[in-house]
Amino acid sequence: MHDDNHEQPLQHEAEHAKPGKKNAVLLYLVILFAAAFLLLLLSYFMQQRTNQERYNDLQQTSNSTVQTLDNMLQENEDLKNRVAELEEANEALHEQLQDSRVELAEEKESSQQALTAMDWFWRIQRQYSRGYYTKARELIAAFEATGFPQYLPTENLTGQEGLSPAEQYRDILDLLDVETTSAPSPSPSAQP
């Protein structure tokens, strides 16, 4: 009971308290809530601003990365095109090299045949110059059998005036009265 007696005066005091004191506490609470709300609102806007700055930075970084990626893709495409061009040029050069090798081999064969023909001609001419006409005729017969007379040069390549080796061979054949079917005929430019 003692507690009930003690509670009654407090309750009575609270019931009969001046309305000004109640209003001051209520006003104080409203001000505190308003300040807290303003602080929360200020914190929200600051967070939004920070987020917007981060978003802009990320957007700029993303744009920069996309631009760099586009540049790299374009460079990659350019390099692929350049590689294709170089491969085509390389293939053309290989074909040209192969053609040159074939041509060189043919020229080498032709030169070798001309050299062999000139060696025969030199031997025939030496026998003829020494007056060994029978030996010269034998060499001519053997030379004709090889088929090399067609490889005797038809032009004078010494740069000096005179007959070509083919013309000189024809003259020796005429002087020895030898008839052949494979003797080279003189070139039209060498006719007087």
Side-chain angles (χ1 to χ4, degrees):
M1 237 199 220
H2 187 278
D3 282 335
D4 284 339
N5 286 338
H6 190 269
E7 285 182 18
Q8 285 181 352
L10 287 178
Q11 185 179 1
H12 180 47
E13 255 184 58
E15 289 175 0
H16 297 298
K18 293 183 181 175
K21 278 189 174 181
K22 273 187 175 182
N23 286 341
V25 170
L26 189 58
L27 181 64
Y28 179 71
L29 285 175
V30 167
I31 291 172
L32 279 177
F33 278 116
F37 181 74
L38 285 175
L39 286 174
L40 283 174
L41 192 61
L42 181 63
S43 173
Y44 171 76
F45 285 125
M46 287 175 64
Q47 187 66 35
Q48 282 297 100
R49 189 175 131 211
T50 302
N51 286 345
Q52 186 63 36
E53 288 174 357
R54 285 184 184 165
Y55 175 77
N56 289 341
D57 288 346
L58 287 174
Q59 186 68 32
Q60 187 176 7
T61 302
S62 174
N63 290 342
S64 175
T65 302
V66 167
Q67 182 64 35
T68 301
L69 184 58
D70 286 344
N71 290 344
M72 291 175 89
L73 289 173
Q74 182 61 42
E75 184 180 345
N76 188 20
E77 190 64 31
D78 292 344
L79 288 173
K80 284 181 182 179
N81 291 339
R82 183 68 178 139
V83 165
E85 290 172 5
L86 290 173
E87 285 176 348
E88 287 175 12
N90 188 26
E91 184 65 30
L93 287 173
H94 278 292
E95 289 175 9
Q96 187 178 10
L97 177 63
Q98 188 62 28
D99 292 345
S100 295
R101 285 180 177 166
V102 168
E103 188 178 307
L104 185 61
E106 289 171 356
E107 286 180 14
K108 181 181 177 187
E109 180 67 23
S110 177
S111 295
Q112 184 63 38
Q113 291 169 338
L115 181 64
T116 303
M118 286 300 294
D119 184 51
W120 276 96
F121 173 67
W122 174 75
R123 292 172 189 275
I124 293 167
Q125 188 178 36
R126 188 175 64 186
Q127 295 301 323
Y128 177 78
S129 297
R130 291 182 178 172
Y132 302 139
Y133 302 129
T134 305
K135 184 66 176 166
R137 284 186 186 96
E138 290 173 4
L139 285 174
I140 289 172
F143 182 46
E144 291 290 328
T146 64
F148 282 111
Q150 65 180 337
Y151 299 111
L152 283 172
T154 57
E155 296 177 9
N156 184 357
L157 303 176
T158 63
Q160 311 231 345
E161 287 191 35
L163 299 175
S164 70
E167 292 168 331
Q168 291 176 25
Y169 179 67
R170 174 56 82 192
D171 285 348
I172 291 173
L173 290 178
D174 289 343
L175 291 171
L176 292 175
D177 291 327
V178 176
E179 292 293 323
T180 63
T181 57
S182 63
S185 55
S187 65
S189 61
Q191 296 291 333

